[in-house]
Amino acid sequence: YYYEKDPKRIYYLSLEFYMGRTLQNTMINLGLQNACDEAVYQLGLDMEELEEIEEDAGLGNGGLGRLAEKFLKTLKMSSSPLTVFAWKLLWLAGWPCHRSRCLWQVEEADDWLRHGNPWEKARPEYMLPVHFYGRVEHGATGTKWVDTQVVLALPYDTPVPGYMNNTVNTMRLWSARAPNDFNLRDFNVGDYIQAVLDRNLAENISRVLYPNDNFFEGKELRLKQEYFVVAATLQDIIRRFKASKFGSTESVRTVFDSFPDQVAIQLNDTHPAMAIPELMRIFVDIEKLPWNKAWDITKRTFAYTNHTVLPEALERWPVDLVEKLLPRHLQIIYEINQRHLDHIASLFPHDVDRLRRMSLIEEGGTKRINMAHLCIVGSHAVNGVAKIHSEIVKTQVFKDFAELEPEKFQNKTNGITPRRWLLLCNPGLAELIAEKIGEDYVRDLSQLTKLQEFVEDDLFVREVAKVKQENKVKFALYLEKEYKVKINPSSMFDVHVKRIHEYKRQLMNCLHIITMYNRIRKDPAKLFVPRTVIIGGKAAPGYHMAKMIIKLINAVAQVVNNDPVVGNKLKVIFLENYRVSLAEKVIPATDLSEQISTAGTEASGTGNMKFMLNGALTIGTMDGANVEMAEEAGEENLFIFGMRVEDVTELDREGYNAQEYYDQLPELKQAIDQIKSGFFSPQEPDLFKDVVNMLFHHDRFKVFADYEAYVKCQEKVSELYLNSKAWTKMVIKNIAAAGKFSSDRTIKEYARDIWHVEPSDLKIPPPNEPRDAVEDKTPNGTVA
């Protein structure tokens, strides 16, 4: 469908795209789930078994990739006239499968394509060249990048249907291909290895998601991946722009003045930051635009979403590496930086420190390019993903830039799609809600506020509790089957699932487990609210401390689960190979959601929103989206504990001394002494010395400082859990307050404030209806 006015195209550029299984989601969005279930049943098959056969498309690591998937599924939902595309690499092996062997995380290739992918369609007619290495020539006719090595980008298109609206988005995955299968001359003289070496080196670009970059070759491959996806994508965008004018392919655009009016590119963190110098290279070197005009168009086209405040997570590429791999782009970045610094110097003469802080090039030690600074300078809008995160971005992380251009900085609180994270994964709760407030909440999650009317409805309270218990029984059976541990489905399911990282403080959870274990051992007859503590997540392959945390959790679980004194009062499970399809099982069964990062370190989180929507109560710090969840539901309806951002800042100023907390808190001291002495690793008493040393001397995230408040808050959790009715009432209040955290709302804000497009109610007919059946008009009065 074309519109008389050429539609604006939204391009969501992400190196990660973390999808689950496509079959379930497609049936939900097309309204075919019941029909398909019945048809499959008539054939003597089981739909759940068929769904389990499909592999997760694990094309990302945690929240960043999940967000990209949610947004792409939402874009057609909330902005039907928009043409929306997402680009990324087609990983042959996704984010590695993580298996526990001898309680360690061991990576295995996630060969998600071993049985093929029925959803994708190869588009070899749109294969594009991507250049690397080479040298730069400056001549009378302009600048040329010559003597390059070429890798071909082969696109695969995957349809992503909107929910019940007859529209489909496109996710284009780029696969790396060598220009020649092998060097025939080498092959003919018997050098078979060398003959295929060049092909393998080229195709490594899309072979493994996130190579271990602890060594130089890993860093180079990572930068190749980032540039490969943006170079192929921008060529594709330019082709589409030139060949599409007012809904027609009969004329070709040769002028780029309207480019920002027709194209919006959203950078999902700094991974696609090389798109900025690449678009400048296309405009200046190939299309021969003057620099100032090219830069104006580029800035108006790009927008940047920041996803982290951790300094080490903000990409900084060595200048030497960029010069070797992308020599022309380094020259462009230098030119951007020089003009940027000249502007700063004109506004703040003699302020050398400000120039240093705001430079795109960091001079200390190894010269590096600060990719976040490049994104800010090259974009017209910069947004954080939660209110507190966006404030930290403006007042701390990028303070100088925000002072210079305050209007550029925005907040767009993350959201989740209720189609996957309620309708699909928790049908019992979804149906129960629909019975009370109707089915329209699936398209407009803000309607959940109507559930406030039923908080005192005893029948509804019992029904919500019943659905939760049914989900817990089902998941308990899964755990017993997979982990051979007998689970009490009436115990509190205390769940902490997310990427394994020090700032997410799985260690504090582990210390609480040990504390509960010691309390049970000390007085077995004392009343204890039974708990099943479930922790899951993956550590980056090169992240030693994260792997040690996984090992410690597994070691503690071994001791706790096999202690007859503890029995069914406390069980600990570490979920192996945590992924989207597993999240769909555990989230509906969760009673308590752990969101315990150090205040000021979590950008937003979306797991917290999924748990809230599915009837779990949150124990957490005032960090990320927890702050807004507390605003929506009332802080009294969450279990909030620990330091706030200002407390962390003050503690940093005073100096954090872990030893003081260790000396003052007997239960903390006991737990640390047990870890240190080898109580949980009797065969290797010194196994966890690195963990203990980090907690005492290198803990930037201050686990000990929040330990006491965390343990006391957990006691309040147990006390409330004993009162099932009061617990469930709080659950209903949380579900009723979850409406803000829909990705539909998030995308509407992006569309209005960043992409400058307005969603419309235009309805597109199904394929079997004639085109003139559409009566709705676009905002400017034209008919589709």
Side-chain angles (χ1 to χ4, degrees), residues 147-200:
D147 297 337
T148 58
Q149 292 183 16
V150 176
V151 178
L152 299 178
L154 174 63
Y156 289 80
D157 286 353
T158 299
V160 183
Y163 178 70
M164 304 287 285
N165 60 2
N166 305 315
T167 61
V168 180
N169 287 330
T170 301
M171 177 177 67
R172 174 156 286 184
L173 303 177
W174 296 107
S175 181
R177 293 287 188 271
N180 298 301
D181 281 346
F182 54 79
N183 188 311
L184 186 61
R185 188 174 67 177
D186 288 340
F187 185 85
N188 286 337
V189 298
D191 192 350
Y192 310 120
I193 301 300
Q194 186 61 43
V196 297
L197 182 60
D198 290 341
R199 183 191 66 183
N200 290 341

Side-chain angles (χ1 to χ4, degrees), residues 585-609:
K585 293 182 173 70
V586 65
I587 288 173
T590 298
D591 292 306
L592 184 69
S593 162
E594 300 269 353
Q595 309 295 333
I596 59 176
S597 54
T598 310
T601 59
E602 182 71 85
S604 169
T606 55
N608 45 7
M609 304 171 188

Side-chain angles (χ1 to χ4, degrees), residues 230-333:
V230 302
T233 297
L234 286 175
Q235 289 182 72
D236 208 20
I237 291 173
I238 297 289
R239 175 188 62 80
R240 290 171 185 270
F241 174 79
K242 285 184 172 182
S244 175
K245 186 174 184 181
F246 305 116
S248 170
T249 57
E250 295 174 1
S251 57
V252 176
R253 284 189 174 101
T254 56
V255 178
F256 287 87
D257 297 59
S258 65
F259 191 80
D261 301 322
Q262 302 301 319
V263 172
I265 303 177
Q266 191 71 32
L267 302 175
N268 193 27
D269 214 43
T270 58
H271 302 153
M274 290 304 295
I276 293 171
E278 172 65 6
L279 188 58
M280 284 297 292
R281 185 186 71 84
I282 293 171
F283 283 157
V284 174
D285 293 358
I286 300 174
E287 302 296 339
K288 306 302 182 184
L289 270 62
W291 178 279
N292 288 340
K293 185 172 186 178
W295 182 240
D296 176 65
I297 294 171
T298 297
K299 284 189 68 172
R300 289 165 54 208
T301 299
F302 284 107
Y304 162 53
T305 301
N306 173 274
H307 287 276
T308 182
V309 299
L310 299 180
E312 66 270 23
L314 297 171
E315 288 185 306
R316 293 168 168 86
W317 286 109
V319 165
D320 290 345
L321 175 59
V322 178
E323 185 174 33
K324 171 189 173 187
L325 195 65
L326 304 167
R328 177 57 180 148
H329 296 76
L330 181 62
Q331 293 179 354
I332 291 171
I333 291 170

Side-chain angles (χ1 to χ4, degrees), residues 486-504:
K486 182 70 174 176
I487 300 297
N488 175 10
S490 297
S491 64
M492 181 198 305
F493 280 21
D494 177 348
V495 178
H496 194 175
V497 287
K498 52 186 71 237
R499 188 162 46 92
I500 307 299
H501 198 290
E502 290 167 73
Y503 89 86
K504 293 180 184 289

Side-chain angles (χ1 to χ4, degrees), residues 486-763:
K486 182 70 174 176
I487 300 297
N488 175 10
S490 297
S491 64
M492 181 198 305
F493 280 21
D494 177 348
V495 178
H496 194 175
V497 287
K498 52 186 71 237
R499 188 162 46 92
I500 307 299
H501 198 290
E502 290 167 73
Y503 89 86
K504 293 180 184 289
R505 298 204 292 193
Q506 286 90 354
L507 272 175
M508 190 160 70
N509 193 347
C510 190
L511 290 173
H512 178 241
I513 294 169
I514 297 171
T515 300
M516 290 190 293
Y517 172 72
N518 288 334
R519 288 180 177 181
I520 296 170
R521 293 273 303 176
K522 183 179 180 180
D523 190 357
K526 188 176 180 179
L527 175 65
F528 183 86
V529 178
R531 285 202 192 211
T532 300
V533 182
I534 300 165
I535 303 175
K538 296 178 180 179
Y543 191 174
H544 170 71
M545 187 53 63
K547 288 189 171 184
M548 290 304 304
I549 291 170
I550 292 174
K551 175 69 172 178
L552 175 61
I553 294 167
N554 277 316
V556 170
Q558 285 281 94
V559 172
V560 171
N561 294 344
N562 293 291
D563 192 325
V565 175
V566 174
N568 284 329
K569 293 181 179 179
L570 181 63
K571 294 296 179 186
V572 182
I573 301 289
F574 186 84
L575 295 178
E576 187 177 89
N577 196 31
Y578 183 64
R579 58 203 182 278
V580 174
S581 56
L582 187 49
E584 291 169 358
K585 293 182 173 70
V586 65
I587 288 173
T590 298
D591 292 306
L592 184 69
S593 162
E594 300 269 353
Q595 309 295 333
I596 59 176
S597 54
T598 310
T601 59
E602 182 71 85
S604 169
T606 55
N608 45 7
M609 304 171 188
K610 296 165 194 167
F611 283 111
M612 185 186 198
L613 183 61
N614 280 273
L617 298 185
T618 300
I619 183 168
T621 53
M622 280 301 230
D623 194 29
N626 294 355
V627 176
E628 289 159 85
M629 288 165 56
E631 288 176 358
E632 295 295 309
E635 193 171 327
E636 69 278 6
N637 291 311
L638 281 75
F639 298 101
I640 300 295
F641 73 93
M643 296 181 290
R644 310 289 171 112
V645 171
E646 56 271 20
D647 300 321
V648 175
T649 303
E650 181 62 27
L651 187 55
D652 282 331
R653 190 161 35 244
E654 294 174 356
Y656 170 62
N657 187 345
Q659 186 70 40
E660 291 179 2
Y661 298 95
Y662 172 82
D663 293 337
Q664 294 169 10
L665 302 171
E667 288 186 315
L668 174 63
K669 183 178 187 300
Q670 182 184 8
I672 293 297
D673 288 347
Q674 286 172 307
I675 296 171
K676 187 177 180 180
S677 67
F679 180 86
F680 299 105
S681 55
Q683 304 300 319
E684 300 177 76
D686 293 333
L687 180 60
F688 299 115
K689 65 179 182 180
D690 287 351
V691 175
V692 174
N693 182 62
M694 182 275 294
L695 286 171
F696 276 103
H697 305 294
H698 310 288
D699 182 13
R700 294 178 295 151
F701 306 109
K702 305 171 180 61
V703 169
F704 288 3
D706 270 343
Y707 166 84
E708 184 178 21
Y710 178 57
V711 171
K712 288 181 178 178
C713 193
Q714 288 282 19
E715 292 169 0
K716 293 179 183 177
V717 171
S718 295
E719 183 181 348
L720 183 65
Y721 192 75
L722 289 171
N723 186 337
S724 176
K725 186 175 181 179
W727 179 279
T728 307
K729 284 184 177 182
M730 191 181 287
V731 163
I732 295 170
K733 290 176 183 177
N734 272 265
I735 297 171
K740 174 182 178 178
F741 305 107
S742 168
S743 53
D744 300 344
R745 185 268 314 155
T746 309
I747 286 299
K748 285 177 181 177
E749 292 180 3
Y750 273 96
R752 182 186 67 237
D753 302 334
I754 295 179
W755 305 328
H756 306 304
V757 290
E758 284 294 332
S760 89
D761 296 325
L762 183 87
K763 292 180 176 61

Side-chain angles (χ1 to χ4, degrees), residues 307-436:
H307 287 276
T308 182
V309 299
L310 299 180
E312 66 270 23
L314 297 171
E315 288 185 306
R316 293 168 168 86
W317 286 109
V319 165
D320 290 345
L321 175 59
V322 178
E323 185 174 33
K324 171 189 173 187
L325 195 65
L326 304 167
R328 177 57 180 148
H329 296 76
L330 181 62
Q331 293 179 354
I332 291 171
I333 291 170
Y334 274 147
E335 181 68 19
I336 293 170
N337 191 44
Q338 186 60 56
R339 292 171 182 251
H340 163 64
L341 293 181
D342 289 345
H343 177 58
I344 303 301
S346 69
L347 297 174
F348 304 95
H350 313 302
D351 193 344
V352 178
D353 282 344
R354 184 181 295 269
L355 291 176
R356 177 183 52 78
R357 293 194 305 266
M358 297 184 72
S359 176
L360 274 56
I361 310 297
E362 297 179 348
E363 299 287 348
T366 303
K367 287 179 66 174
R368 296 178 182 274
I369 303 169
N370 188 311
M371 304 307 282
H373 288 186
L374 175 61
C375 287
I376 294 170
V377 171
S379 298
H380 71 273
V382 178
N383 71 279
V385 289
K387 190 183 297 182
I388 187 173
H389 168 235
S390 296
E391 193 61 27
I392 291 171
V393 164
K394 286 193 294 185
T395 60
Q396 298 179 32
V397 184
F398 304 123
K399 181 181 178 182
D400 294 313
F401 292 92
E403 288 176 352
L404 185 67
E405 298 178 283
E407 72 286 349
K408 180 183 283 191
F409 287 78
Q410 305 182 21
N411 173 60
K412 296 290 172 279
T413 298
N414 280 343
I416 59 172
T417 168
R419 273 74 65 186
R420 180 185 287 277
W421 294 111
L422 183 59
L423 206 61
L424 190 156
C425 73
N426 200 345
L429 181 59
E431 290 173 14
L432 189 58
I433 294 172
E435 288 173 8
K436 290 295 181 183

